[in-house]
Amino acid sequence: MNAARPLSPALERLADALTYLRKAPAPLITARVLLDALSTQHLGKWGLIKATTPRRKATYMLVGTALRRDWPVGGWAFRKLIIRLTRHIQPKGRAYDDDNLARALKPYRDGVAEALAIDDGSERLTFVVDQVRDGQRGVTVELWVRP
């Protein structure tokens, strides 16, 4: 019988983040972006830029404001963070499958990373994406410091 192949470092971080979120306290930062996440698979280059730029900038401003308000300057420097991005769906709205959800939430991910002044591909950041049908609109950004 073959032994299970070990997980990659990225999958290990995601598994650890999900385990932590099951019993995590309230997030340190919560920001609500009232711009709906869009599926961008049908957009060309300029349509993609036009659709994603306002979402990235709004996320950057809201998360940046929350960081300045709730954390001392640079309090997140050199710390590992978990960021959960939750897309809110209207009752009759269409839920995205996992790859479209990740793509639709990419501008929000970029905005968070820009507000933190950390590359969004950094090993210090673990992003978890989710969607919930609750009749609200927009995207919620929640941030935790990993122990």
Side-chain angles (χ1 to χ4, degrees):
M1 194 178 292
N2 293 338
R5 201 172 92 208
L7 296 176
S8 69
L11 285 178
E12 281 290 344
R13 282 195 318 273
L14 182 58
D16 291 344
L18 292 173
T19 301
Y20 175 75
L21 289 178
R22 285 188 188 276
K23 55 186 183 293
L28 294 173
I29 301 286
T30 301
R32 186 71 179 273
V33 182
L34 295 177
L35 296 170
D36 288 334
L38 298 175
S39 176
T40 58
Q41 65 186 5
H42 63 284
L43 301 175
K45 177 182 176 183
W46 296 112
L48 181 66
I49 291 170
K50 186 177 177 182
T52 60
T53 299
R55 286 154 179 79
R56 181 183 51 77
K57 287 183 177 180
T59 305
Y60 167 75
M61 289 189 307
L62 288 169
V63 171
T65 301
L67 286 170
R68 286 188 300 277
R69 182 188 65 224
D70 297 339
W71 272 7
V73 174
W76 59 90
F78 307 109
R79 302 183 75 180
K80 294 187 177 187
L81 306 172
I82 298 172
I83 298 105
R84 180 169 57 192
L85 303 171
T86 305
R87 174 183 177 243
H88 298 276
I89 309 169
Q90 295 289 321
K92 294 185 179 185
R94 186 173 68 85
Y96 294 158
D97 57 4
D98 58 350
D99 59 332
N100 286 336
L101 179 63
R103 185 173 178 160
L105 293 176
K106 175 74 169 123
Y108 303 91
R109 176 182 170 135
D110 292 342
V112 169
E114 190 176 340
L116 291 167
I118 302 172
D119 179 48
D120 69 333
S122 171
E123 291 184 4
R124 292 178 35 214
L125 302 179
T126 303
F127 287 91
V128 177
V129 296
D130 195 12
Q131 58 187 336
V132 68
R133 188 180 305 276
D134 60 0
Q136 298 181 24
R137 298 183 72 118
V139 173
T140 300
V141 178
E142 297 167 299
L143 188 141
W144 290 267
V145 175
R146 290 186 54 165

